[in-house]
Amino acid sequence: MSSTGSSDDRPLRRTAMRVVPIVAVLAVAVVLMYPVALWLGLPLARLRMENLANWLVNTTAAHPLREAPAAGTTGAPAGARLTFGAFEELVATEDAAPVRDVERLVLVRGGEPVAATFTLDGEGLVLQSAVEGPLLQWGDLLEGPLDAGHVFRFSDPAALGSALFLNGSLLEAGAVDSVERADGVNREFTFSHGAGPVIVAGELLVEGVGFEVDGNRVVLGRAPPFNAPVRRISRDYAVLDAAAGTIALAQPSAQAPQAASAVLALAELLLGGVNGSNRTFQLQHTPLVENDPARRLVLNGQELSATAERPQERVDGERASFTFAGTRGVVTVNGAELTEGRDYSRAGNVVTFVRPPARNAQLRQYQDYLVSDPASGTVTLAVAPVPGDKLWAASYTYYDRPECGATPLECFFTMPQHPMPFPHWIAQRIGPFLTAYPFADSRNVVRATIYTAAGTLLALLLGGLVGVLLAVVFVAVRPAERALLPWVIASQTVPIIALVPVLLLLLGNVGVTVQTSLVPATLIGAYIAFFPVAVGTVTGLRSVDPLALDLMKSYAASPLEVFWKVRFPAAVPFFFTSLKLGTAAALVGALVAETESNNRYGLGYAIVGQVQAGNVSDVWILLIISALLGIGLVALVGVAQRVLAPWEFR
Amino acid sequence: MSAAPPIIEVAGVGKRFVVGKAEAVALQDADLTIADGQFVSLIGPSGCGKTTLMRLIADLIEPTEGSISVAGKTPRQARQDREYGYVFQAPALYEWRSVLANVMLPLEIMGVPKAERKARAVTLLAMVGLESFHRSYPWQLSGGMQQRVSIARALAMEPKILLMDEPFGALDEITRETMNFELLRLWQETRKTVVFVTHSIAEAVFLSSHIVVMTARPGRIREVIEVDLPYPRDAETRESERFFELTTRVREALRVGQAAANAGGGASSGAAAAIPKSAAD
C-alpha cells in the first residue's frame, strides 16, 4: 500500500542508503580518535619521560683493567697500552679532545690514585710514564661450576663485588629488571635490553630449559611467584644470591673465574678545579640519584663521608648556639649552605649563629661533603683540596636515560595505559577481554551484560506499569494530578547516587542479598523510568480528538467504555515513546545500583573494576558494550511498539 | 411540514455560550418541525447556528432556552436509546481498529454478540460499497472512503435519524457528487430521517426534500423551502430548469435574509462574539 516508488525495486539499495551514513559517521569518529589519542597521550608520555623515577639508573665505578696481565708482570712501562672495562662510559664521545679527557680521569689502584701521566684514544689509554707495582693482586678462584657452567660461588661471600677475571679478561656485572611485575600468573616478561639468562628470585634459568626467547620478550616455563624479582643478565655476569655469594655467568664456562683485588682502574675525577680555595665540584654523570648508598667519593686515598650531623639541641627559634659531634664541616640550614664568619662563628664543635635559625628548621653539619644539587651533580666539600690533590669518584649512581624510550613518541607507545587508546588497540583487546573467562563464570563480560540487560528490562516493565497506573489516576481523578505531580517531579530531582544506599539498607533489612540480586537495579531503573512514562501517558490519555469523544457520547457509552475503547488505545503510542526516553536513563540507573551494591554479576561491577585496575582499553570496550546495550534496549522497545501499536507506522 | 408524523420538534430553542466575560448567542428563537422520512438540509453562513442546532438535537450540548423533542423523547433520552447516528465533518475513525472493527464499535457498546456484530458490519460495509476493505486500516483509505466507513458506522445501530454535519465538506467536488448519489441511494433504501448541514447550495437542493435557511448574528431560522424535485434524483436533475430555479431561490433567501438580519440584528446581545466551534456542554 505504500507508495515509495522506485526505491522499492532495490531493497538492498534502500538498506544501504540507511546504513551508509551511520557507518560513515562511525568511520570518521574512529579516524579522529588517532590524532586525539596522540594529543592526549603525548604530554603524558613526555611527563613520563621527564620523570626521573622512570629512568634507568646506572652505577658507575672505577673501571678495572680489561685484560689481566700475565702472572708475574708488575708495573707497566711507558708507552704501554691499557684497556679498561666499560671504557666508553668514561670517555665522552661528543667532545673528544684527549687533553680534556685526561683532566677528567685518574688512574687508581686499591683506593688510591696512581701517579702516572697518560693519553687517551678511542680504544684505551697509553701510558706516558711508567706505573710501578703490580697491576692487580690475584684472589681466590671461585667455587664451581655449581651447575651446567653458569653458577659459581665466592668462598667468602663478603668478597662479592671484587673484580672477576675469566681467562684473563674482566667480567663485568650487569642485570636488568623486567618491565612487568611478577603477579603469580604471568609467564611473559619483557626486558629493555640484555641477552643473557634470566634470574628469577635467585634461581638461574637458562634458555631452552627455563624459558623461550622472542627478541626482548621471554616466556618462562613456570610463572614466578608473586613479587619475585625477575632479572636478565645484560653483561658478563650477575649476582645470583648475595647472602650465599653466588654469581651466574651469561656464557657457560668450565673454568672458574678468579677474583682480583687492587686492580688498576680508571676513575672519574670530579670537575671544578682544585686550586686550594674552590670547594664546589661536579660529578660527570648527572642527574645524581639523591639517596645513593653506592656513592663513594675519595680525596686522594681517603674516602669522604657524606654523613650529616644533627645538633644536640632542639631548634626552637630562639637558640643561637648548637653543638655538633664534629669540629668542622659544611653547615646548612634547611639545605642552604651558610658561610662561616658571616652567618655563624665556630668554637670547636659549637656553632653560634648570627641570627637564630627559625623554629624547627633543619640544621645539619656535613663533615666532609654534601650533595648540594643532585640535578647538576654539584658537590660541596667542607675543606678545599689543595693543588696536587686528586678528588675522584669510586662509584656513584646516576639517572642514565628514560626507561620508556628516547623520544616522547617512543615513550607514548610503551606506556602501559593510555588516556585514549588507539582504536585498533581497543579492537585487539575485544577478543581476549570478552573470552577471558568462560561463559559460566560470573566474571565473563557477556554474561554480565546479559545480567544487566535483564535487570533493566525488569525495571522497564515495573516502571512502565507504575507510570501507566499513575497516569490513569491523574486523568481519572482530577485533584490527584494537582496534589501528586509536584511530588513526582521532586522525586526525580533526588540524585540516585544518594538514594541507592538508602534503598540498599532497606532491602538488606527486608532480607534481600543485594550483592547477588536484581532487585536494586530493577527498583532504581523503575524509579527513573516511571516518570517519563507517567507524563507521556497522561498526555496520550488526554490527546483524544474531541470528535472521537463526541462520537462515544452519541453512542451513550459509559465512562469506562470511553476509557478502554478510546483513551487507552490513543495513549499507547505515547506510552512507548516515553518508555524509549526512559530506557537509557533506566540503564544508567541499573548500572549505578549494581555498582553501589557491589553486585559482581553485573556490568557496573566490571566497569568499576577495570577503571580501578587502570585498564583503559578494557574500560573503552565496556563503554562501547554499555552504549550498544542501551541502543539494543531502545530498539527492543521500538519493536514492541511496532507489534503492539502498528497504526503509528504508516 | 407534511403529512408524516413529526419526529423532531424544536420549539423556541436558544443557545448562549459564555466566552470569557462576553456572551455569544449561537442560536435564538429556533422553531422547527421535521417529519419522519424527510431529508432536511440546514444551510447558512458561518455562525448561523446550524451545527449548534444539530448538536442540541443530538444532546451533545443543552439549550439555554426552549425545548426539543426527538422521536417523542427528550434529546437525552433519545441519545441513550440510540435513536440517531451522527456523522461528523471528519471521519473520526479509530486508527488502531480495522475498518470492520470501526463499524462494529457502536455494536460493541450496545452489547450485540460477536457473530451478529460482524454480520451486521459486513452488510453495512457492502451497503456503502466497501465490501473488500474489511481488514484495511483507516490510514490506508482515501478521504471519501473513510467518510463512507463513517456513514456505515452511523447506520450500525439502525437509528431512526441520521444527523450529518457537513460530512462531505473535506472532499473534492467530483468525489462529493459521487458521495451525494451514494447518500441518496442509501436514504432511499433505508428511509431514515436525515438532518444534513451543508455550506453548498447545490448540494442542499440536490439532496433534500426541505431546506432550512438560517442567518447569522444572531443564529436564526429564516425560512423553510420545500424542494419539489422528484425522487430518485440523478445527473439530469442537476441540469434541470427547476433545479436552477430552486438554487436561485435558496441563494436569494440567504442573501435577503442575511441583509435583514444585519439591519435589524444590530441590537442583538453579544452578537459580535465568536461562537467556539467545538463548544462542549
Side-chain angles (χ1 to χ4, degrees):
Chain A
M1 283 284 167
S2 55
S3 53
T4 39
S6 65
S7 59
D8 264 333
D9 303 342
R10 291 174 284 179
L12 203 65
R13 181 187 152 134
R14 205 156 56 124
T15 316
M17 281 184 68
R18 254 205 321 237
V19 165
V20 162
I22 301 176
V23 171
V25 169
L26 186 66
V28 167
V30 165
V31 164
L32 279 178
M33 270 177 81
Y34 284 90
V36 172
L38 277 172
W39 176 59
L40 289 175
L42 273 176
L44 220 64
R46 194 166 294 125
L47 275 177
R48 189 164 166 252
M49 211 179 93
E50 291 164 6
N51 184 2
L52 285 179
N54 292 332
W55 283 45
L56 296 170
V57 295
N58 191 17
T59 304
T60 182
H63 293 282
L65 281 176
R66 184 176 289 155
E67 303 297 328
T73 306
T74 63
R81 164 176 287 282
L82 300 172
T83 54
F84 295 88
F87 184 68
E88 61 283 353
E89 208 176 80
L90 292 174
V91 178
T93 46
E94 309 93 60
D95 41 297
V99 173
R100 303 253 329 265
D101 282 332
V102 165
E103 288 171 0
R104 294 158 67 144
L105 300 172
V106 65
L107 277 173
V108 298
R109 180 177 50 195
E112 286 195 17
V114 170
T117 48
F118 52 86
T119 56
L120 297 172
D121 58 23
E123 289 162 23
L125 182 151
V126 177
L127 287 173
Q128 301 297 328
S129 60
V131 168
E132 311 286 321
L135 298 182
L136 56 74
Q137 300 275 16
W138 285 113
D140 296 333
L141 275 173
L142 261 58
E143 294 167 13
L146 301 182
D147 68 338
H150 291 271
V151 181
F152 295 86
R153 180 169 55 214
F154 280 84
S155 40
D156 177 13
L160 194 68
S162 34
L164 284 176
F165 288 86
L166 182 66
N167 295 331
S169 289
L170 179 72
L171 296 177
E172 299 194 68
V176 59
D177 288 327
S178 64
V179 172
E180 304 87 352
R181 296 189 71 130
D183 59 6
V185 172
N186 189 22
R187 290 191 304 130
E188 286 184 23
F189 296 88
T190 28
F191 301 90
S192 50
H193 54 281
V198 173
I199 300 174
V200 174
E203 195 190 312
L204 181 74
L205 302 175
V206 177
E207 181 177 354
V209 174
F211 66 97
E212 287 164 23
V213 170
D214 174 22
N216 279 350
R217 216 166 51 97
V218 304
V219 180
L220 301 179
R222 272 196 338 245
F226 186 74
N227 255 353
V230 179
R231 298 180 295 150
R232 191 171 192 188
I233 302 179
S234 55
R235 286 190 167 149
D236 302 318
Y237 78 95
V239 173
L240 199 54
D241 184 344
T246 49
I247 60 145
L249 295 181
Q251 302 293 332
S253 159
Q255 251 189 312
Q258 188 169 11
S261 57
V263 183
L264 189 69
L266 201 55
E268 284 180 19
L269 284 172
L270 270 67
L271 307 175
V274 173
N275 58 15
S277 55
N278 178 34
R279 292 188 294 123
T280 328
F281 296 87
Q282 288 84 39
L283 286 164
Q284 295 182 28
H285 292 90
T286 58
L288 299 180
V289 172
E290 280 210 47
N291 295 322
D292 180 9
R295 190 186 317 123
R296 287 165 41 222
L297 304 181
V298 185
L299 180 63
N300 299 324
Q302 182 77 30
E303 202 173 309
L304 298 177
S305 136
T307 49
E309 299 168 4
R310 301 170 102 125
Q312 287 177 9
E313 302 85 351
R314 258 196 57 211
V315 184
D316 58 6
E318 289 164 14
R319 191 184 190 80
S321 284
F322 296 88
T323 319
F324 288 96
T327 56
R328 63 135 209 225
V330 180
V331 175
T332 64
V333 172
N334 285 335
E337 187 188 344
L338 299 184
T339 319
E340 183 166 359
R342 189 185 70 183
D343 301 316
Y344 66 91
S345 60
R346 180 188 290 279
N349 61 351
V350 174
V351 165
T352 309
F353 291 91
V354 169
R355 273 199 336 241
R359 186 184 162 85
N360 284 339
Q362 245 194 8
L363 203 57
R364 299 282 180 270
Q365 175 170 281
Y366 292 86
Q367 188 180 24
D368 287 335
Y369 78 95
L370 75 129
V371 176
S372 28
D373 182 19
S376 62
T378 311
V379 157
T380 310
L381 265 58
V383 175
V386 298
D389 282 343
K390 297 279 186 211
L391 181 62
W392 55 282
S395 67
Y396 65 97
T397 318
Y398 64 97
Y399 293 106
D400 188 9
R401 63 179 195 278
E403 189 177 25
C404 53
T407 63
L409 198 62
E410 269 186 50
C411 281
F412 173 82
F413 283 108
T414 58
M415 270 204 302
Q417 296 295 344
H418 294 78
M420 175 181 285
F422 281 168
H424 66 272
W425 294 339
I426 301 177
Q428 282 166 357
R429 263 307 280 169
I430 291 179
F433 183 56
L434 291 181
T435 56
Y437 300 98
F439 184 76
D441 191 327
S442 70
R443 290 172 293 180
N444 179 289
V445 174
V446 178
R447 192 185 180 85
T449 308
I450 293 174
Y451 186 84
T452 302
T456 311
L457 281 171
L458 284 175
L460 288 177
L461 274 171
L462 182 60
L465 198 66
V466 170
V468 168
L469 286 174
L470 202 62
V472 169
V473 166
F474 278 2
V475 171
V477 181
R478 275 242 132 202
E481 188 178 1
R482 267 198 303 265
L484 288 179
L485 189 61
W487 294 110
V488 168
I489 295 173
S491 78
Q492 296 297 300
T493 58
V494 176
I496 48 171
I497 294 184
L499 209 59
V500 171
V502 174
L503 180 73
L504 294 178
L505 211 59
L506 281 170
L507 287 176
N509 277 343
V510 173
V512 176
T513 316
V514 294
Q515 290 87 348
T516 53
S517 160
L518 276 176
V519 172
T522 305
L523 288 179
I524 296 294
Y527 175 84
I528 290 176
F530 93 91
F531 177 67
V533 170
V535 170
T537 308
V538 164
T539 308
L541 288 171
R542 295 212 175 116
S543 73
V544 184
D545 186 8
L547 281 185
L549 290 173
D550 274 345
L551 191 72
M552 290 305 262
K553 190 164 182 189
S554 77
Y555 297 152
S558 70
L560 197 63
E561 278 174 321
V562 174
F563 181 83
W564 275 118
K565 293 194 190 292
V566 183
R567 286 198 191 277
F568 196 78
V572 168
F574 289 80
F575 166 78
F576 277 110
T577 306
S578 50
L579 190 64
K580 273 194 211 173
L581 286 175
T583 297
L587 174 60
V588 171
L591 284 171
V592 170
E594 281 176 7
T595 309
E596 294 207 24
S597 65
N598 228 10
N599 188 334
R600 65 175 189 274
Y601 293 139
L603 205 55
Y605 184 80
I607 293 175
V608 168
Q610 293 305 327
V611 167
Q612 283 176 348
N615 297 330
V616 180
S617 287
D618 295 346
V619 173
W620 271 86
I621 296 174
L622 286 170
L623 292 181
I624 294 171
I625 290 177
S626 301
L628 289 175
L629 183 61
I631 294 174
L633 288 172
V634 171
L636 199 64
V637 174
V639 165
Q641 184 174 6
R642 282 200 114 94
V643 166
L644 297 172
W647 62 90
E648 277 289 297
F649 307 96
R650 350 189 149 172
Chain B
M1 265 187 228
S2 70
I7 193 166
I8 298 176
E9 291 181 69
V10 176
V13 165
K15 177 69 185 168
R16 271 192 298 257
F17 291 106
V18 175
V19 181
K21 293 230 169 71
E23 216 181 44
V25 178
L27 196 62
Q28 201 174 52
D29 292 332
D31 289 296
L32 185 62
T33 308
I34 299 175
D36 192 9
Q38 287 180 337
F39 196 119
V40 176
S41 287
L42 306 178
I43 193 165
S46 302
C48 68
K50 48 194 195 294
T51 300
T52 309
L53 183 56
M54 280 265 275
R55 289 168 67 86
L56 284 166
I57 295 171
D59 190 43
L60 293 175
I61 48 180
E62 283 180 15
T64 37
E65 293 142 3
S67 69
I68 304 178
S69 138
V70 178
K73 311 171 188 167
T74 62
R76 168 138 308 166
Q77 198 57 47
R79 178 170 67 83
Q80 280 166 353
D81 293 346
R82 302 180 181 117
E83 297 281 6
Y84 65 84
Y86 207 115
V87 180
F88 295 91
Q89 268 169 291
L93 298 177
Y94 294 158
E95 299 283 345
W96 53 87
R97 284 171 171 253
S98 67
V99 163
L100 193 69
N102 265 292
V103 176
M104 292 200 292
L105 176 66
L107 300 171
E108 279 173 34
I109 295 172
M110 279 172 65
V112 172
K114 188 155 185 200
E116 194 187 330
R117 281 210 296 263
K118 198 157 177 213
R120 276 163 73 161
V122 169
T123 315
L124 287 161
L125 280 173
M127 221 192 295
V128 297
L130 290 174
E131 50 281 318
S132 48
F133 290 95
H134 294 171
R135 287 203 204 292
S136 307
Y137 278 84
W139 74 80
Q140 294 168 319
L141 306 184
S142 69
M145 291 158 82
Q146 287 185 23
Q147 204 57 298
R148 277 197 259 171
V149 175
S150 180
I151 295 171
R153 181 178 60 184
L155 292 171
M157 298 191 297
E158 292 178 355
K160 296 200 186 80
I161 302 164
L162 210 54
L163 301 174
M164 305 178 83
D165 187 353
E166 294 187 64
F168 309 133
L171 306 177
D172 60 273
E173 179 106 19
I174 297 168
T175 315
R176 194 183 233 190
E177 286 189 12
T178 315
M179 296 301 294
N180 284 348
F181 280 125
E182 291 289 317
L183 184 58
L184 275 187
R185 185 180 56 76
L186 267 175
W187 179 58
Q188 311 258 224
E189 274 179 48
T190 58
R191 272 297 153 190
K192 302 201 185 293
T193 308
V194 178
V195 184
F196 191 92
V197 169
T198 180
H199 267 136
S200 163
I201 299 172
E203 187 174 57
V205 172
F206 183 71
L207 292 172
S208 339
S209 58
H210 295 80
I211 300 179
V212 177
V213 176
M214 299 177 72
T215 50
R217 291 184 301 279
R220 283 200 133 95
I221 295 177
R222 216 15 103 153
E223 197 182 331
V224 177
I225 298 174
E226 194 174 332
V227 179
D228 54 4
L229 294 166
Y231 288 104
R233 299 178 186 171
D234 51 22
E236 278 189 19
T237 315
R238 251 186 219 280
E239 290 153 21
S240 71
E241 188 76 29
R242 184 73 187 130
F243 186 84
F244 183 67
E245 281 170 17
L246 282 165
T247 54
T248 310
R249 172 141 179 242
V250 171
R251 193 168 291 117
E252 270 300 304
L254 281 168
R255 192 181 58 78
V256 167
Q258 194 56 54
N262 291 346
S268 301
S269 54
I275 299 168
K277 179 81 184 154
S278 61
D281 20 344

